[in-house]
Amino acid sequence: MAHVIAVTNQKGGVGKTTTAVNLAASLAETGLRVLLVDLDPQGNASQGVGIDKNAIEKTLYNALVEGTSVLDMIMPTEYEGLFLVPSHRDLVGAEIELVGEQGREFRLREVLAPVRDRYGFVILDCPPALGLLTLNGLVACTGVIIPLQCEYYALEGLSELLNTVILVRDNMNADLAVKGVLLTMYQHTNLSRQVMEDVRNHLGSKVFDTCIPRNVSLSEAPSYGMPVIHYDKRCAGAQAYRQLAQEVLLRG
Ligand code: ATP
Ligand code: MG
C-alpha cells in the first residue's frame, strides 16, 4: 500500500509547501511514482512544480465537493514519476460547502482510494489551519511530517496539533502516525542552534536527523516552477531534501 504523508502545521510559513514539493520530487527522483496533492487554496504546491494556473481544468475542489473522479484531475509534471492534483482559490469554498455534509472528514480518503496504490508515495500539502481541509488530510494519510521553523515560537501550537493527530487516530484513522518532525530554515546562529537543541530534547527520536538549512535556491526555485533538485541540483537545500527522502524511505 502507498504511503500517504500529510505535511502539516497550522502555523503559516514554516516550510510545509517547500517540504511537500521537494520531498515529492526527491522521492520521484529515486524512481518511485509520486502523487503530490495540493490541499491548500493558495495553490503554492501546484505552482511549485510548474503547473500553469491557466492549464488547470479540474481541481481538488471538484473531487471533494462534486465527487468528480480524481482521475480527471491528476496532471503529469515535467519531472518523471511526479504527478499533481492541483488546487486554486475555489478550494476555500470546500471548507464551507462541506460543513453540513455527512462524512465530510472522509472525503479526501474516498477521493484518493481508487488511485493511491498506483503510487509509492502520496504527499499532501496542507494549508496553515486546523480546519476541515487539514482534517481531511489527517484522515486520508498514513503519517504526518511536521515542519518546524528554527525560530523563536517554533513549538507554539505543536501540542494542539499533536492532540488533533491523536484524536483523529483514535476516532477516524487508526493508521495515523507521526513520521517525523522536520527542522526547517536552519541558520548558523545561536537562536537556530538553541531551537534545534530544545526541539530535539523535547521530541527525541521523533525529529528527523535531516535538518533543512535556510538556502536561497530553495526560496528562488518556486518562482521558476521548479523543485530545487532540478533548479540547483548541488545546492545545500537540494542535498538536504534528497537526504530527507532517504530518511523517509528508511523510516518506512
Ligand atoms: P503556508 O503556511 O503559507 O502554506 P508554508 O508553511 O507552506 O506556508 P513555505 O511556503 O514552504 O511555507 O515557505 C514560506 C517561505 O519561506 C517561502 O517563501 C519559501 O520559499 C521560503 N522558504 C521555505 N523554506 C526555506 C528554506 N529552507 N530556505 C529559504 N527559504 C525557505
Ligand atoms: Mg504552504
Side-chain angles (χ1 to χ4, degrees):
M1 267 218 308
H3 298 278
V4 182
I5 295 181
V7 181
T8 187
N9 186 337
Q10 74 274 30
K11 248 170 114 75
V14 298
K16 291 180 290 294
T17 302
T18 304
T19 297
V21 165
N22 291 301
L23 174 60
S26 299
L27 287 167
E29 192 189 43
T30 71
L32 291 163
R33 278 167 60 86
V34 180
L35 181 63
L36 175 63
V37 179
D38 192 347
L39 251 187
D40 186 346
Q42 293 181 102
N44 294 342
S46 305
Q47 287 168 269
V49 293
I51 297 295
D52 175 7
K53 271 187 186 162
N54 302 315
I56 299 174
E57 287 175 11
K58 298 245 190 262
T59 75
L60 193 54
Y61 171 89
N62 303 98
L64 291 177
V65 177
E66 296 168 351
T68 310
S69 166
V70 72
L71 286 168
D72 292 347
M73 55 205 69
I74 293 176
M75 303 176 81
T77 67
E78 271 184 47
Y79 311 104
E80 196 175 334
L82 181 59
F83 299 83
L84 175 79
V85 176
S87 77
H88 67 58
R89 292 229 57 87
D90 62 2
L91 196 55
V92 174
E95 289 260 9
I96 301 153
E97 286 170 59
L98 289 177
V99 160
E101 302 274 319
Q102 275 231 316
R104 56 190 175 271
E105 301 90 351
F106 294 87
R107 284 294 169 95
L108 182 64
R109 177 145 94 190
E110 289 158 12
V111 163
L112 294 176
V115 297
R116 55 181 273 180
D117 290 335
R118 299 180 188 187
Y119 300 91
F121 279 85
V122 179
I123 308 285
L124 315 175
D125 182 31
C126 295
L130 275 178
L132 189 53
L133 289 168
T134 295
L135 195 54
N136 265 273
L138 294 178
V139 171
C141 74
T142 53
V144 296
I145 288 179
I146 303 172
L148 290 186
Q149 191 179 351
C150 290
E151 289 290 345
Y152 200 59
Y153 297 130
L155 290 167
E156 190 187 59
L158 183 63
S159 53
E160 193 189 351
L161 174 56
L162 292 175
N163 285 339
T164 306
V165 168
I166 290 168
L167 270 175
V168 171
R169 187 194 62 202
D170 291 350
N171 295 292
M172 290 176 261
N173 180 9
D175 292 340
L176 183 55
V178 176
K179 285 275 174 236
V181 168
L182 178 68
L183 290 162
T184 65
M185 298 186 233
Y186 181 83
Q187 303 179 76
H188 292 286
T189 61
N190 287 335
L191 176 62
S192 264
R193 264 192 291 275
Q194 188 63 52
V195 170
M196 178 189 269
E197 230 172 75
D198 286 354
V199 170
R200 290 200 188 278
N201 284 338
H202 193 69
L203 299 167
S205 62
K206 277 287 172 217
V207 186
F208 284 108
D209 293 335
T210 307
C211 163
I212 310 299
R214 187 173 277 284
N215 175 255
V216 174
S217 293
L218 275 175
S219 58
E220 288 172 351
S223 61
Y224 296 91
M226 293 168 88
V228 75
I229 57 167
H230 301 288
Y231 172 69
D232 183 359
K233 59 183 173 208
R234 269 182 272 280
C235 72
Q239 287 175 22
Y241 276 109
R242 284 200 177 99
Q243 191 188 328
L244 177 67
Q246 290 305 321
E247 221 186 323
V248 167
L249 287 169
L250 270 178
R251 287 194 177 201

